[in-house]
Amino acid sequence: MLRKITIIYLTFIYYTQVNAQISSQKQQFLLFWRSDCEVCHIAIPQLVKKIERLDSNKFTITAISFDTDSSNYYKAVKELSMQNFVLKYNFKEGYAGNQLAKKYHITKTPTLIYINEQGDMLAEGNEAFKILSGFKN
């Protein structure tokens, strides 16, 4: 069964909407990535395989791209088998203008974080992945 991951090509306009979405989810993970990140091309397929074996009714993963080139973004989405997931995007801004990256002090990709319903970061990286792994079917 295909699990859905929300992919957001984020701009300042959507920062408020993403914050509202985060606030409404009790078990929320954010995955920061970009198409030219070699580690992302290794980690995301592993994460997708992991998600397929988990109970996705208990959590939401929002993948936030730092791409500034839409053609590279769409190519990576296809290569990483993300084209069947929910895609939301708008204008390009990379790291510099990304409000969520600033809020969570994201300086590299990929970065997976676990946040609570108030949007407070509770875990990052391997710790966030361990928490995600606990949502078994």
Side-chain angles (χ1 to χ4, degrees):
M1 182 173 153
L2 182 63
R3 307 289 186 204
K4 291 201 176 202
I5 298 176
T6 303
I7 300 176
I8 297 177
Y9 201 52
L10 198 65
T11 68
F12 181 73
I13 296 168
Y14 283 99
Y15 176 67
T16 305
Q17 290 176 335
V18 171
N19 265 349
Q21 178 183 354
I22 288 167
S23 297
S24 67
Q25 300 293 330
K26 291 192 178 183
Q27 304 298 319
Q28 176 74 33
F29 294 85
L30 301 179
L31 173 65
F32 295 89
W33 73 288
R34 65 181 202 276
S35 64
D36 62 348
C37 166
E38 291 180 23
V39 177
C40 295
H41 283 263
I42 297 167
I44 290 174
Q46 293 173 357
L47 182 61
V48 169
K49 286 180 185 177
K50 182 71 168 175
I51 292 166
E52 289 174 352
R53 297 187 305 258
L54 301 175
D55 184 354
S56 63
N57 293 321
K58 297 179 181 177
F59 64 89
T60 299
I61 296 179
T62 303
I64 300 166
S65 173
F66 291 133
D67 282 298
T68 56
D69 182 319
S70 61
S71 62
N72 289 343
Y73 168 79
Y74 285 113
K75 181 180 175 186
V77 165
K78 185 175 181 180
E79 287 174 2
L80 298 171
S81 300
M82 299 171 99
Q83 66 271 20
N84 293 324
F85 302 145
V86 177
L87 301 175
K88 295 182 182 181
Y89 57 91
N90 197 340
F91 301 98
K92 302 166 273 221
E93 60 186 22
Y95 282 112
N98 190 294
Q99 298 298 314
L100 286 177
K102 289 177 183 177
K103 177 178 179 175
Y104 296 114
H105 308 287
I106 304 301
T107 59
K108 61 183 170 42
T109 59
T111 298
L112 180 69
I113 65 171
Y114 173 56
I115 59 176
N116 64 15
E117 60 272 7
Q118 288 80 32
D120 300 321
M121 183 169 51
L122 303 176
E124 180 181 6
N126 289 337
E127 290 302 313
F129 188 76
K130 287 178 190 175
I131 293 167
L132 177 64
S133 298
F135 294 106
K136 297 181 179 165
N137 283 327

